[in-house]
Structures are given as C-alpha cells and as structure tokens.
Amino acid sequence: MKEILLKTEHITMQFGGVVAVDDLNIEIEKDRITALIGPNGAGKTTAFNVITGGYQPSNGRVTFDDLVIGENYPRSKMKKIYNGTYKTPFEKQVVNTPDKITRLGMARTFQNIRLFKDLTVFENVLIAKHCHIKAGLFRSTFMLNREEEAKMLEDTEALLERVGLLANRDEKSSSLPYGKQRRLEIARALATGPKLLLLDEPAAGMNPKETEELSLFIKEIKESFNLTVFLIEHHMNLVMDISDTIYVLDYGKTIAQGTPAEVQNDPAVIRAYLGVDEA
Amino acid sequence: MLKIKRNHLYSIIVLTLLMVFLYWLNANRLQNGMLVSVLQKGVILALVAVSMNLLNGFTGLFSLGQAGFMSIGAYTTAILLIPVQNLDGVYYMNGVHPAIRAFKMMVASSPEFIQIIFPFIALLLGGLLAAFAAAIVGIAVLRLKSDYLAIATLGLSEIVRAIFSSPQFDQVTNGSYGLNKIPNFPPMLWGAIPSLITPFIVVSICIVFIVFLIKSSYGRAFKAIREDEIAAEAMGINLFKHKSMSFIISSFFSAIAGGLLAMYMRSIEAKTFSITLTYDILLIVVIGGIGSVTGSVLSAFLVTAAKEWWLRFFDQPLLIGSWQVPLFRTGFRMVIFSILLMIVVLIYRRGIMGTNEFSWDRILKRLKFKRSKEGGKK
Amino acid sequence: MSMTTILQHCLTGISLGGAYALIAIGYTLVYGILRLINFAHGDIFMMAGYFMIFALTSFPWPIAILITLVVTTLMGIGIERAAYKPLRSAPRMSIMISAIGVSYLLQNLSTYLFTAIPRGYPEIPFLKKIFQMGELSASFVTILTPILTIILVVILMILVNKTKTGMAMRAVSKDFETAKLMGININRVISVTFAIGSFLAGVGSILYFTDRMSVTPFSGTLPGLKCFVAAVFGGIGNIPGAVVGGFFIGIVETLLVALGYSTFSDAFTFFLLIVMLLVRPTGLFGEKTVEKV
C-alpha cells in the first residue's frame, strides 16, 4: 500500500501578476526519495517555501502526515488579480509558521547555505535540538534540566560522528570547506528529528566526486534515520541516481512526472530543457 | 577536570579579594568618595549595558529603548521608597495622590521584616512593571526589522518619558519637577552587607542570571536568531517567542538598574532618562564589545571612571608655569571622550573584548606566553 | 477656539512643517541610498544654527546665509567621508552606531565650543516683518517657509528625475551592488546625496531657528528624530512622501501644543511612527518589497 507523507493540492503561488507556481499537485510517498526538477526560475524554491510555511499559497492546500498544515484561497486584493489555472478557490485558511512546521517533523536546507556562521559546528547542530526542549526558560537557566541538556549534548555528539564532522566540532562553521558546510546543513536539519527532509539544491557548486559522495550520503541517512526525502536539484546524474519519483516544473507548471526513466524520455521535458524546435 | 577545579579556585580567590576590598572601601568611604561613587555608578551601568547586550549583541535586536525601561524602574522605586514624612516636601507643588500616601502609611505600619525588605520589593516591582510593558509593546515592535526596531524603541522610550513628565500625572510622578529625597541603598542581610556594597551584590546576582541564560539552550536559540533569522526559524525556533523573552528579560534588568540608579542619585527627573542616556549605554556596549558580557562590565567601569574621574582634568584650565594650555576648559573632556569613541567605532571595531568572554585559561596562556618570551631573552 | 485662532495655528504649523519637510528629505535620501538612519542629521541641522549665529556677527545677512549653507554642506560631505565611508562593507549595525557616535560627538563639540546655554538666534529683519491678513498675522518667514520648501522640492525632483546624477542616485537606491557593477561612481553619488541633504537641512535650520530664536547643542535631537518619522510616514526613500510627512507632523504638533498637550506633542510623533510601522511599514507612498528566502 502506498503511504503518502506529504501532499500538495492545486498549490498556486502568485506574486502581484506573476504566477510563480501554478496548480502544483505533488504526492510524496513515505520512505522514498522524490525530486523536483526544472530549469532556473521554474518555481521550485517557491514551491519549497510554500510547503515549509515561508509563503502562504495564493490558493491550494498542503497536507503533511494527514494534517493540513497550510491552506489558503484568493483573498482581498488577490481575489481580483488571481490568475492561476486552477480556478476553484479553497475554503479555509490554515497558516503555520516555518518553526511550527519544523516541529511537526519537516526540516529543510537552503539553496544558498544558511549556517549560523559565527558559531561552531557543534553549536550549529545543538541549536537545532532546541526546538523540542521541554524545560522552560527558568528551569533551563538555573540548569534544573540537567538530564535533558546532557541528552542534547550527547545526541549532537552522536549525530556529528554519524555524519563525519566530529573532527571539526569546535571549528567555526563558516571556516569549513564548502562540501562540509553542505553536510553540516543537512546534519543540522537532521537534528530537529524530521520525518521528511527537504533539500534545496544540495549539490549546487559541487564537483562530480563530491556529488557522488553526496548521493551516497543521502541514501545512507535516508536508511539510518528512516527518512523520506524531497529534493530540488540541477545535477541530473544525482537526481536520476537516487530518486524514486521525479516531478518536472517549467514556468510554474508541472510538465511531467514519473520514474527517472519515464521522465528522461518525456518529450515535454526534453523540450523544456533543450528549447523548442520550431521547425 | 583538574583545570576546572583550578579555575574555580582562582575565581573564589578573586571574589574573596573583591569582597575584602569592598569592605575596606566601606570602612574608608569618607576618604574615597570619588572611588565609591564611580564604582557604584559603574556597576549600575554595567547591569544596563549587559542587559542591552543581551538584546543587541546576543539576540541581534537593535533596540534603543533602554532609557525608557530604566525610567519605569527608577520611578517605581522612587515613588515607593520616598519616606512618608518627606512626601509633602517632594510633592510641594501639586500634592501627592492620596492612594500613594495611604499605601506608604500601610507600609510604615507593617512589621519590621517587611520594611527591611521593602526596598528590594520596590526594585522587583519596577522590574516586573517594565517587563510587563515590554511584553505588551513587544507584540507590536518586535515584528520590525533592524533599524526600524531601533527607531521604534527609541520612540517608545520618549513616549514613556513624556508620560512621566506630563502634568496629567503630577500627583504621581511630580511632572517636570522630578522626585527627590529617595533613600540610599538599603543594607542587606540585617546589616551584614553594608548599604555601600548592596548595589554590587544586586547587580552581580542579575548579571550571573543573564550569563546563565546566555549559556542555556535558550541563549543558544537567541544567538541563532542573531546569526540568521530565517535559518533559525527553519530549525524550529519560534522567532516571536524567543525575541519576546529576550526583550522582556532585558527590560526587566534595565528597570532594576534604573531603580538602583534612583537610589544612587537620590533624585530623578524625566530628563535624566532622555535619548542621551541610551546612547551612553550603547557606547559602553560598543566599547566593551558587542556580544561580550565581560566586555560590557569592564567597559562600564572604564567609561564611568574615565568620564567622571580620570578625564576631569581636561575640564579644568591647566597652567604649565605661567603658560595656560589652550583647549582645556569645560566640555573638553566629553569631546575627547567622543573622539575616543569614534576611534573605537571606526578602527577597533571589536571593542575591548570582541565577542570573547573572560576566562582563566586565556589569561594564564597569555601570562605563560609572556614569561616564555622573557625567558627567551635571558 | 475661534476659527481665526485655528487658522493662525495652522499657519504656524505649515511653517514648522516646511522646515521639517526640508530636514526629512535629508533622511529619506540617505536612507534610500545607504539604508542608514543618519542619526547625525539632526545635529548637522543644529550646527547650521550656530554657523548662522557666527556668520551674522561679521557679515551682512545674504553673505551669512551663503556661508552657512556652504559650510553645512561641506560638513555633511565631510562626516560621510570620515565616519560612514570606512564602514561601507561593515554590518548595518556598525554604521548606525557610527552615526550615533557622530551625533554624540557633534553635541559634545558644540557644548564645548558654544556652551550649553541657549544662544540667541539673530533676527534677519526682513524675515521677521509682520504681515497682516484680515485677522491673521504672520511674519514673513512663516509665509516664506512653505513656499520656499515647495520650490526647493520641485527643483530637487527635477534634479533627481531629469539629470544624469539623479539617475545614478535612483539606480544606487534601487540596487547598490548592481549600480556599482554598472560603473556608477558610488562614492560620488553618496557625496552628492549628503551634500543635498545637508544643504536642505541648512535652509531648514535658518527657517526653523528664525521662528524659535535660540539654539542649544541639543536642539537638533528631537526635531531630527521627528523628521525621520516624517520620512517614514511618507514612505522612506520617497521625496514627496517626506514633504507630506513633514507638513503633517508640523501641523499636528502645533495643534497639540495649542490644545495644551505640549508634553505629548513629541510622544505623538513617535506614537504615529509605531502605528505607521505596524499598519503600513512602507509609509504612505512607499513601494512594497518582498524579502527573498
């Protein structure tokens, strides 16, 4: 039986008159790796931001783990200028801030690495553990939650060991080499204890060897952390290698979906990537 | 482990020496009036600077509302502590609100124990009132970004000042006449700690709390917000909740410092808490290093001593033989001081401590390094 | 309150608002380009007051005005060069602190040079001439201020919209980095911006202090902050917005004072600021910007 972890229904995101994401319907199966690909400016990152709560969609619904985490319909100004393909407005308005969604079990990385630059590798990961803290501010300040604190430190240590960054634990995160910064960002996302991991172009700027290592790394953490992975990527080798399902986006619209083999041979995809041959 | 024990030992020794020094100072306070006054003012400003640093340096919220929250603490403390027999003298123009008088009568007739701890209750009440105010206005202003937050908090502090000096509240705040006859610091522990030392103890407790907070998981979350709000939010940190916490705590301690300042100055008026006061504190934080508690504390003492004591001679005409050195007259001290400040801002941007904190390991390392250098010379 | 009194107050308010508008333009221009609240701007305005006092002791008024404006303009450029230029690549907080530092320095310097005792502002006879219009009476400066403000703003708008320098200024305010890559001399544009801002602050200072009659080292702080609020109110970076904001705040402040709420007139300005920032942070005429993740 197929078990769906994340579902988007008719997600449409319009900025002013520009429809950045148009009628996006994605189903992400549990324990699988799903990829979202498309040329630059196709609306991939926007789709990510809608899913993680950074933007409110203009119309559409996002369901995560059988819970509606985001839903909206064209309101006030948007009502007049709404120009999405899917016209039927949704009914409810459900808003969740990104932090809430993270605590529900969805963690992300960023296209342009966003580490806590001045803090150490260890602190970067440790901070991500804060979101599940039980102790309040006073208990925490007066160190009355020793057990919890000790467990946070221990888990962080273990996680760093797992991803191979323990040797760099006290280095400033901005002083790490590029590949390790990417890895640290993933480790930090893992520290929030996600069910679904969203990776925004994890291989951007990597050479073939690093990309290959990354693809192994993603498969490895997927297994050991029981993750479902959803990624945006440009490196076709990586995508074809690790994905189970691929969605192709162009100008905000979904032009193809299916297994890597299906997508690779889809004429619409070839057209989007190679340009239209008028002749 | 051994290292930690050694460091603890050093700290205990230094603290003991400090206490001995303070008791010595208490015994010889008449000969050392200037020193006492500078140290007391320094320690009070240290608390405001540290609480401002908690916001600006550790949470990355550039707030300029410190003076406003200090004034809430100062006025609350002052109004609660002016002795009942002095009320008519203080509020000679407009009279005092009957409720305040009644409340004071009640306190004056309460058991001795309550009267002894009442000054501390007053301080605490001032702090809580400021924290409450911060919680309310925080809902509005904490949504704003960097410089907008700065100007909005600056505005809030001016609004508070306008309220305190307005004729509509004459019977409570004595309007533009201000409040005086505020009692000095109370002694602690039935006199075991003389009143001269009280501010040092109160401030130390507050700063230790802030340091512990910064070291806790919540403090780390504050730092994450400072580094990158969007990433922090993506890591599950509720921005508004954590910013509010930082803002409320910072305001609470600013108000405690404001209350202490009222006891130190013995008389306050709304003008005391103008924008200039906030700037003064900001400059202490900058000189000490944004993001360093030890830096703020050191800088508070240095700046206070320099301004009120060491640089005094710039303000006096100076004669060398019969030649009068030009430039030396009233106001020159502050010019020199502002120039020094601009040098720190433009050239030594990290301030005294940067984002580092005091640690025995670092000091010992430095000492060893020096010694080995000297050894090398031989 | 009779109609005449209300009109009389409105006239005063418009006059005050004109001076505010001129200062607010300085804030709006600098913020548009450097994203910096130039905390020292109010103190430049205050210093211009002192320059005028001293210039008038030895020169006839037309030359004194000229000297004041030139010196103020140069001071504005000088401050930018000395205190803001070295921090071009530093975080925004540092440059804001530097601005506060300059403000602090100017206040202390003028306290030292001119003492904290208020100095009488000299009267320029033709500015103080009283005109009688029906039951309303107003000095020439009261009438001159709004007119002069409008004229200067029109000139400035032409400068910004029609000249090459103006185009460069607009380009820099839209996108600092790209403008730099396109070969625009950033430092020159910034200097021009500060020059214009300080010049207008100089004009504003003459108009403002002629009505107020005395200058102290701290007389720039509050008007300065109010003018920043005016700039935010109108939409920061937007010149006509700053003018509208300046007039609005000037009029409301005068009316509040007239109604006997003088202690709250300053507080009102900041209240307005906070409400504005919450309800419409882009100001009356500002454009909306979306922050990219």
Short mmCIF file of all heavy atoms in Angstrom, two decimals, chain C residues 86-107:
data_model
loop_
_atom_site.label_atom_id
_atom_site.label_comp_id
_atom_site.label_asym_id
_atom_site.label_seq_id
_atom_site.Cartn_x
_atom_site.Cartn_y
_atom_site.Cartn_z
N PRO C 86 34.34 54.55 5.70
CA PRO C 86 35.18 53.41 6.10
C PRO C 86 34.36 52.17 6.46
O PRO C 86 34.91 51.09 6.55
CB PRO C 86 35.93 53.93 7.33
CG PRO C 86 35.81 55.39 7.28
CD PRO C 86 34.54 55.71 6.58
N LEU C 87 33.07 52.34 6.69
CA LEU C 87 32.26 51.21 7.15
C LEU C 87 31.36 50.66 6.05
O LEU C 87 30.39 49.96 6.31
CB LEU C 87 31.38 51.65 8.33
CG LEU C 87 32.13 52.10 9.57
CD1 LEU C 87 31.16 52.63 10.61
CD2 LEU C 87 32.93 50.96 10.16
N ARG C 88 31.70 50.99 4.81
CA ARG C 88 30.83 50.61 3.70
C ARG C 88 30.48 49.12 3.70
O ARG C 88 29.36 48.73 3.40
CB ARG C 88 31.52 50.99 2.40
CG ARG C 88 30.59 51.31 1.28
CD ARG C 88 29.81 52.59 1.46
NE ARG C 88 30.38 53.69 0.68
CZ ARG C 88 30.32 54.95 1.08
NH1 ARG C 88 29.76 55.26 2.21
NH2 ARG C 88 30.84 55.89 0.34
N SER C 89 31.46 48.27 4.02
CA SER C 89 31.19 46.83 3.92
C SER C 89 30.88 46.22 5.28
O SER C 89 30.68 45.02 5.40
CB SER C 89 32.40 46.13 3.30
OG SER C 89 33.54 46.43 4.05
N ALA C 90 30.84 47.06 6.33
CA ALA C 90 30.58 46.55 7.67
C ALA C 90 29.08 46.26 7.82
O ALA C 90 28.28 46.73 7.02
CB ALA C 90 31.02 47.58 8.70
N PRO C 91 28.71 45.49 8.85
CA PRO C 91 27.28 45.24 9.06
C PRO C 91 26.52 46.54 9.30
O PRO C 91 27.10 47.54 9.72
CB PRO C 91 27.24 44.36 10.31
CG PRO C 91 28.62 44.12 10.73
CD PRO C 91 29.55 44.80 9.82
N ARG C 92 25.22 46.49 9.05
CA ARG C 92 24.43 47.71 9.15
C ARG C 92 24.44 48.28 10.55
O ARG C 92 24.37 49.48 10.74
CB ARG C 92 22.99 47.41 8.74
CG ARG C 92 22.69 47.84 7.35
CD ARG C 92 21.42 47.22 6.89
NE ARG C 92 20.30 48.10 7.12
CZ ARG C 92 19.05 47.75 6.83
NH1 ARG C 92 18.79 46.57 6.35
NH2 ARG C 92 18.07 48.58 7.05
N MET C 93 24.54 47.40 11.54
CA MET C 93 24.52 47.89 12.92
C MET C 93 25.71 48.80 13.18
O MET C 93 25.58 49.83 13.82
CB MET C 93 24.52 46.70 13.88
CG MET C 93 23.86 46.99 15.21
SD MET C 93 24.31 45.79 16.43
CE MET C 93 22.87 44.79 16.53
N SER C 94 26.90 48.46 12.64
CA SER C 94 28.10 49.26 12.90
C SER C 94 27.94 50.67 12.36
O SER C 94 28.31 51.64 13.01
CB SER C 94 29.32 48.66 12.22
OG SER C 94 29.35 47.30 12.37
N ILE C 95 27.38 50.78 11.16
CA ILE C 95 27.30 52.10 10.56
C ILE C 95 26.26 52.94 11.29
O ILE C 95 26.43 54.14 11.49
CB ILE C 95 27.06 51.97 9.03
CG1 ILE C 95 27.04 53.34 8.37
CG2 ILE C 95 25.84 51.22 8.69
CD1 ILE C 95 27.24 53.24 6.87
N MET C 96 25.23 52.28 11.80
CA MET C 96 24.24 53.01 12.58
C MET C 96 24.87 53.49 13.89
O MET C 96 24.62 54.62 14.32
CB MET C 96 23.05 52.09 12.87
CG MET C 96 21.87 52.82 13.40
SD MET C 96 20.34 52.05 12.87
CE MET C 96 20.37 50.51 13.69
N ILE C 97 25.69 52.64 14.49
CA ILE C 97 26.37 53.05 15.72
C ILE C 97 27.31 54.22 15.42
O ILE C 97 27.42 55.16 16.20
CB ILE C 97 27.13 51.85 16.32
CG1 ILE C 97 26.12 50.86 16.87
CG2 ILE C 97 28.08 52.30 17.41
CD1 ILE C 97 26.72 49.52 17.21
N SER C 98 27.96 54.17 14.27
CA SER C 98 28.84 55.26 13.90
C SER C 98 28.05 56.56 13.78
O SER C 98 28.51 57.62 14.21
CB SER C 98 29.54 54.93 12.58
OG SER C 98 30.43 55.94 12.24
N ALA C 99 26.86 56.47 13.21
CA ALA C 99 26.02 57.67 13.08
C ALA C 99 25.66 58.22 14.46
O ALA C 99 25.70 59.43 14.68
CB ALA C 99 24.75 57.34 12.30
N ILE C 100 25.34 57.30 15.38
CA ILE C 100 25.03 57.75 16.74
C ILE C 100 26.27 58.38 17.36
O ILE C 100 26.19 59.41 18.04
CB ILE C 100 24.52 56.56 17.59
CG1 ILE C 100 23.14 56.15 17.09
CG2 ILE C 100 24.47 56.93 19.07
CD1 ILE C 100 22.58 54.91 17.75
N GLY C 101 27.43 57.80 17.09
CA GLY C 101 28.69 58.34 17.59
C GLY C 101 28.93 59.75 17.08
O GLY C 101 29.34 60.64 17.83
N VAL C 102 28.68 59.98 15.81
CA VAL C 102 28.88 61.31 15.23
C VAL C 102 27.94 62.30 15.89
O VAL C 102 28.33 63.42 16.25
CB VAL C 102 28.64 61.29 13.70
CG1 VAL C 102 28.64 62.70 13.15
CG2 VAL C 102 29.69 60.46 13.02
N SER C 103 26.69 61.87 16.09
CA SER C 103 25.72 62.73 16.72
C SER C 103 26.20 63.14 18.12
O SER C 103 26.16 64.31 18.51
CB SER C 103 24.39 61.99 16.78
OG SER C 103 23.57 62.50 17.78
N TYR C 104 26.71 62.16 18.85
CA TYR C 104 27.25 62.36 20.19
C TYR C 104 28.42 63.35 20.14
O TYR C 104 28.50 64.29 20.92
CB TYR C 104 27.72 60.99 20.65
CG TYR C 104 27.94 60.79 22.12
CD1 TYR C 104 26.87 60.66 22.98
CD2 TYR C 104 29.22 60.66 22.63
CE1 TYR C 104 27.06 60.42 24.32
CE2 TYR C 104 29.43 60.42 23.97
CZ TYR C 104 28.36 60.30 24.81
OH TYR C 104 28.57 60.05 26.13
N LEU C 105 29.30 63.13 19.17
CA LEU C 105 30.47 64.00 19.02
C LEU C 105 30.06 65.44 18.72
O LEU C 105 30.55 66.38 19.33
CB LEU C 105 31.38 63.45 17.91
CG LEU C 105 32.60 64.30 17.56
CD1 LEU C 105 33.55 64.40 18.73
CD2 LEU C 105 33.35 63.72 16.36
N LEU C 106 29.14 65.61 17.79
CA LEU C 106 28.72 66.96 17.42
C LEU C 106 28.09 67.67 18.61
O LEU C 106 28.33 68.85 18.83
CB LEU C 106 27.74 66.92 16.25
CG LEU C 106 28.33 66.58 14.88
CD1 LEU C 106 27.25 66.56 13.82
CD2 LEU C 106 29.41 67.57 14.49
N GLN C 107 27.29 66.93 19.37
CA GLN C 107 26.66 67.56 20.54
C GLN C 107 27.70 67.99 21.57
O GLN C 107 27.66 69.09 22.09
CB GLN C 107 25.67 66.59 21.18
CG GLN C 107 24.37 66.51 20.43
CD GLN C 107 23.44 65.46 20.98
OE1 GLN C 107 23.62 65.00 22.11
NE2 GLN C 107 22.46 65.05 20.19
#
